[in-house]
Amino acid sequence: MNQRRRPTQSDVAKAARVSQATVSLVLSGSPHPRTRVSDESRQRVLDAAEQLGYAPNALAQGMVRGRSRVMGVFTYEPVFPRDGSNFYHPFLVGMEAAAEQIAVDLLLFTSAPLVGKRRRLVDTGWNRVQIADGCVLIGRLGDADEVATLSEQRYPFVHIGRREGSQQLPIPHVGADYVAATAAVVERLHGLGHRRIAFLGDLGGAVSALDRLNGYRTAIERHGMRPIMLDAAAFSPGETIEVLTTNGATAVLLSTVTISPQELADAATHAGRTVPTDLSIAVLGESEVSPAIDRRWSGFTIPRVEMGEAALRLLDQIVRGDTDLPHEQLLPCATVPGTTVATVS
Amino acid sequence: MNQRRRPTQSDVAKAARVSQATVSLVLSGSPHPRTRVSDESRQRVLDAAEQLGYAPNALAQGMVRGRSRVMGVFTYEPVFPRDGSNFYHPFLVGMEAAAEQIAVDLLLFTSAPLVGKRRRLVDTGWNRVQIADGCVLIGRLGDADEVATLSEQRYPFVHIGRREGSQQLPIPHVGADYVAATAAVVERLHGLGHRRIAFLGDLGGAVSALDRLNGYRTAIERHGMRPIMLDAAAFSPGETIEVLTTNGATAVLLSTVTISPQELADAATHAGRTVPTDLSIAVLGESEVSPAIDRRWSGFTIPRVEMGEAALRLLDQIVRGDTDLPHEQLLPCATVPGTTVATVS
DNA sequence: CTGAAAGCGCTTACAG
DNA sequence: CTGAAAGCGCTTACAG
């Protein structure tokens, strides 16, 4: 009965007594078409479209234009995990803001089932990905092969988080400048009189961990200090404090998911050292696993909202075919004054 | 150079020395096709597709099938507001879980710009909406006309939150059973000996508020008690306590965004009444504005994750053309024992 | 200025 | 069993 299908350009054309092509020209033609339509025809088309409630089929437009004005967001883990942790939220805040400005919709690839703990992009999600003009990739579990495949296929994408590619196939990404931010923390501590500053981190090999380590080393060496690097995985909080004391450290930079700042502070207290009077603690950004770090911890925060925004903007430029774009965009981290660093006593 | 376009079925056909139609049949034909392909051809097609890295163009499939396996999520306010509030998050948790199971992707309509404080669905977003097979609508600011337009156009959609339509055009929705949940709270208090139970709420007229009020009244009358209904907008917390005392209320149900449970409790303390000894307080679900309610408050919570899941499931059924679906699906709220109600003293 | 035509990449009857 | 053809709704040269 009322189950009428949506009107198409042909319907409008019939009503306006023009050709379907003319309708297309009037309703969704380029602003500077090579062919013009008489004002009379144009008006008839406009009226008919209005009257029929015509709206273009975005799928058909997307197909012929090769663009859909949809940007994909692929996360290797669930975007909205059930456990209430909320790692991706800030990125999405930024992406939504940017999406509104560049007028694109965001497609979350929720159809790719989790295999093990992560989603497979290329296998299952591959043909789905192409619904979008490009894709933002987020997550720690990113697979190098998958990313390489995207590159090879010249599919436009931007990775959130620093990521090394190859000379021929660089990986466009938006990251945080951990090197500078970590160096700045060292500078700050040095300015407060600290001369024995330790680094407690996951010395495994993640890019983001290495960046922090590099920033630490550079700044330490610049001031002729001796680096004290501890692998968080090797010690319990109590042992860590012991080692710090043995090394005469008056400050420690924390870059690990193994020990929380609170655990470390508790261990210090337990050992009779007061934070920050006897030991300054600085946190090098929220960890990805437990993003919520209280603002009272001194250190820096990762500019996630800005990273989300920048990633979508960069992706948009890539999709538009802008060439000569930098493959790397590093955003500055914001210093957190906090209350856990102080002048050396 | 390497700027090769993605291979199409025609490319595969050429490589496999069959027709494009045969490729379609092999690669994305229905499980029970009316025409069969010889095993030999099939294998050649499969090999060629593999070799060329063929993946179907989901846009083209969507167009010809009239389905895209994309479900839209339309929120009248930003999904991810910058202020860090997080109203939609639980719904998205549920929708993502359901999306994975029914194998659809989620399209967030972030391209519709905010007009004033809200997005316009029909104007700007209208043709975008149709990229999706159907759409989940969430938000307090829903416009009745827009929803009516969707109904008239027979566009598949599901509203989250109870919503009355008309006889001819009912609005499919998933809500929470506030009536039953509120009645249950009254029952609980009655069981604890309370005989003068007040209701403090926004008596304005939102459906969800009326539901709670109805549940309250029904339960109150069932036990022959006298209803005590207070408009939260009319009193300060201090005055509220006064009125409650005057009315001899030993318990109060809180259903308002005007006064927070904590404010009310503080006012009670200030007036020399201890919670819950002298006054039991029950909270009738998280408010939409400040969703985080501590579990220590007795009352109930809104099953948002489940609502998100149910909404997407219902939408999927509607899209599949399931007829005779109930237009309303009410989910039970979970009781929160809490520590703010006690036996009447 | 306007219409007929080709084509985007697919699916699905319909002939051979 | 396989191919040629039509068509989904659009855009964009190309003739009149």
Side-chain angles (χ1 to χ4, degrees):
Chain A
M1 24 190 292
N2 200 8
Q3 180 67 315
R4 58 169 183 276
R5 60 170 178 73
R6 304 175 50 206
T8 69
Q9 289 188 345
S10 297
D11 298 325
V12 177
K14 214 162 292 170
R17 304 189 311 281
V18 296
S19 77
Q20 174 262 319
T22 302
V23 175
S24 173
L25 239 37
V26 172
L27 260 25
S28 32
S30 61
H32 300 296
R34 7 171 70 234
T35 34
R36 291 190 44 75
V37 177
S38 71
D39 285 347
E40 196 193 309
S41 299
R42 175 181 303 278
Q43 197 52 54
R44 283 212 311 275
V45 168
L46 256 21
D47 290 346
E50 162 89 52
Q51 212 262 313
L52 293 174
Y54 171 79
N57 180 325
L59 233 54
Q61 286 185 317
M63 188 166 129
V64 53
R65 286 184 178 151
R67 294 277 165 79
S68 60
R69 299 222 58 76
V70 169
M71 298 288 190
V73 178
F74 189 91
T75 60
Y76 293 95
E77 299 107 47
V79 195
F80 310 108
R82 289 200 96 111
D83 64 11
S85 74
N86 218 338
F87 177 57
Y88 296 115
H89 196 263
F91 295 127
L92 289 165
V93 171
M95 284 192 276
E96 178 176 30
E100 188 187 329
Q101 295 195 8
I102 61 182
V104 299
D105 293 318
L106 252 27
L107 185 62
L108 308 180
F109 292 107
T110 45
S111 67
L114 294 175
V115 178
K117 293 278 287 180
R118 60 185 292 277
R119 288 196 175 112
R120 298 273 314 157
L121 172 57
V122 172
D123 273 7
T124 344
W126 180 240
N127 68 320
R128 305 290 302 167
V129 166
Q130 320 246 2
I131 294 181
D133 296 339
C135 190
V136 173
L137 263 41
I138 326 178
R140 298 162 288 144
L141 275 44
D143 183 295
D145 286 347
E146 295 191 327
V147 172
T149 304
L150 288 179
S151 279
E152 279 165 19
Q153 305 261 356
R154 309 263 156 175
Y155 179 76
F157 74 99
V158 169
H159 201 275
I160 286 190
R162 214 159 81 68
R163 183 111 197 202
E164 317 250 350
S166 63
Q167 190 79 41
Q168 310 90 301
L169 290 179
I171 298 180
H173 62 266
V174 170
D177 192 349
Y178 295 129
V179 178
T182 303
V185 171
V186 173
E187 292 295 340
R188 178 179 172 196
L189 289 166
H190 185 267
L192 290 172
H194 293 270
R195 292 299 175 268
R196 301 200 64 84
I197 305 169
F199 182 98
L200 177 64
D202 302 319
L203 307 182
V207 179
S208 57
L210 291 178
D211 283 350
R212 290 179 173 90
L213 200 51
N214 282 338
Y216 167 76
R217 274 174 139 146
T218 308
I220 288 288
E221 286 166 11
R222 179 160 51 226
H223 289 289
M225 297 187 286
R226 187 167 66 82
I228 308 169
M229 292 173 290
L230 307 180
D231 187 352
F235 306 106
S236 69
E239 293 167 344
T240 304
I241 295 295
E242 231 179 276
V243 178
L244 289 174
T245 307
T246 309
N247 279 275
T250 57
V252 57
L253 312 192
L254 204 59
S255 164
T256 175
V257 298
T258 311
I259 301 181
S260 76
Q262 190 58 57
E263 284 172 335
L264 189 65
D266 288 348
T269 307
H270 193 78
R273 302 187 62 182
T274 312
V275 176
T277 323
D278 303 326
L279 181 67
S280 287
I281 299 181
V283 178
L284 305 183
E286 314 87 327
S287 89
E288 298 179 333
V289 177
S290 51
I293 292 284
D294 204 293
R295 299 281 301 182
R296 76 190 175 84
W297 295 101
S298 304
F300 62 78
T301 58
I302 303 167
R304 299 210 206 157
V305 175
E306 291 78 5
M307 286 167 75
E309 247 184 291
L312 203 64
R313 287 239 156 72
L314 178 58
L315 180 59
D316 188 47
Q317 293 179 291
I318 293 175
V319 166
R320 288 169 189 277
D322 253 10
T323 178
D324 289 329
L325 288 169
H327 298 109
E328 174 166 87
Q329 197 167 322
L330 291 187
L331 271 42
C333 298
T335 297
V336 178
T339 59
T340 57
V341 311
T343 51
V344 71
S345 56
Chain B
M1 24 192 288
N2 201 6
Q3 181 65 315
R4 58 169 183 275
R5 60 170 179 69
R6 305 176 49 207
T8 69
Q9 289 188 346
S10 297
D11 298 324
V12 177
K14 213 161 294 171
R17 304 190 310 282
V18 297
S19 76
Q20 174 264 320
T22 302
V23 175
S24 172
L25 238 40
V26 172
L27 259 24
S28 32
S30 60
H32 299 297
R34 8 173 68 234
T35 34
R36 290 191 44 76
V37 177
S38 71
D39 285 347
E40 196 193 311
S41 299
R42 173 180 305 277
Q43 197 53 52
R44 283 213 310 277
V45 168
L46 256 22
D47 290 346
E50 163 91 51
Q51 213 260 313
L52 293 174
Y54 170 80
N57 180 325
L59 233 54
Q61 286 184 317
M63 188 166 129
V64 53
R65 286 182 177 153
R67 294 278 166 79
S68 60
R69 301 223 54 77
V70 169
M71 297 289 190
V73 178
F74 189 91
T75 61
Y76 292 95
E77 298 108 50
V79 194
F80 310 108
R82 289 200 96 111
D83 66 10
S85 75
N86 219 336
F87 177 58
Y88 296 115
H89 196 264
F91 295 127
L92 288 165
V93 172
M95 284 191 278
E96 179 175 29
E100 188 187 331
Q101 296 195 7
I102 61 182
V104 299
D105 294 318
L106 252 27
L107 185 62
L108 307 181
F109 292 106
T110 45
S111 67
L114 294 175
V115 179
K117 292 279 288 179
R118 59 185 292 278
R119 287 196 175 114
R120 299 271 315 155
L121 172 58
V122 171
D123 274 5
T124 343
W126 180 240
N127 69 320
R128 305 289 302 167
V129 166
Q130 319 246 1
I131 294 181
D133 296 340
C135 189
V136 173
L137 263 40
I138 328 178
R140 298 163 287 143
L141 275 45
D143 183 295
D145 286 347
E146 296 193 326
V147 173
T149 304
L150 288 179
S151 279
E152 280 164 18
Q153 305 262 355
R154 308 261 155 176
Y155 180 77
F157 74 98
V158 169
H159 200 276
I160 287 191
R162 215 160 80 70
R163 182 113 196 201
E164 316 251 346
S166 63
Q167 191 78 42
Q168 310 91 300
L169 290 179
I171 297 180
H173 62 266
V174 169
D177 194 348
Y178 295 130
V179 178
T182 304
V185 171
V186 173
E187 293 295 342
R188 178 179 171 197
L189 288 166
H190 185 267
L192 291 171
H194 293 270
R195 291 301 175 265
R196 302 199 64 83
I197 304 169
F199 182 98
L200 177 64
D202 303 319
L203 306 183
V207 178
S208 57
L210 291 178
D211 284 350
R212 290 178 173 90
L213 199 51
N214 282 341
Y216 167 74
R217 273 172 139 148
T218 308
I220 288 288
E221 285 165 13
R222 179 162 51 226
H223 289 291
M225 298 186 285
R226 186 167 66 81
I228 309 170
M229 291 174 291
L230 307 180
D231 187 352
F235 307 105
S236 70
E239 292 168 345
T240 304
I241 294 296
E242 231 180 275
V243 177
L244 290 174
T245 308
T246 310
N247 278 276
T250 57
V252 57
L253 312 191
L254 205 59
S255 164
T256 175
V257 298
T258 311
I259 301 178
S260 77
Q262 191 57 58
E263 283 172 335
L264 190 66
D266 288 347
T269 308
H270 193 77
R273 302 187 63 180
T274 311
V275 176
T277 324
D278 304 326
L279 181 68
S280 286
I281 299 181
V283 178
L284 304 184
E286 315 86 327
S287 89
E288 297 179 335
V289 177
S290 52
I293 292 284
D294 204 292
R295 300 281 301 181
R296 75 190 174 86
W297 295 102
S298 304
F300 62 79
T301 58
I302 303 167
R304 300 211 204 155
V305 175
E306 291 77 6
M307 286 166 74
E309 248 185 289
L312 203 64
R313 287 239 156 73
L314 178 57
L315 181 59
D316 187 48
Q317 292 177 293
I318 293 175
V319 166
R320 288 169 188 276
D322 253 12
T323 180
D324 290 329
L325 288 169
H327 298 109
E328 174 167 87
Q329 196 167 322
L330 290 187
L331 271 43
C333 297
T335 296
V336 178
T339 59
T340 57
V341 311
T343 52
V344 70
S345 58

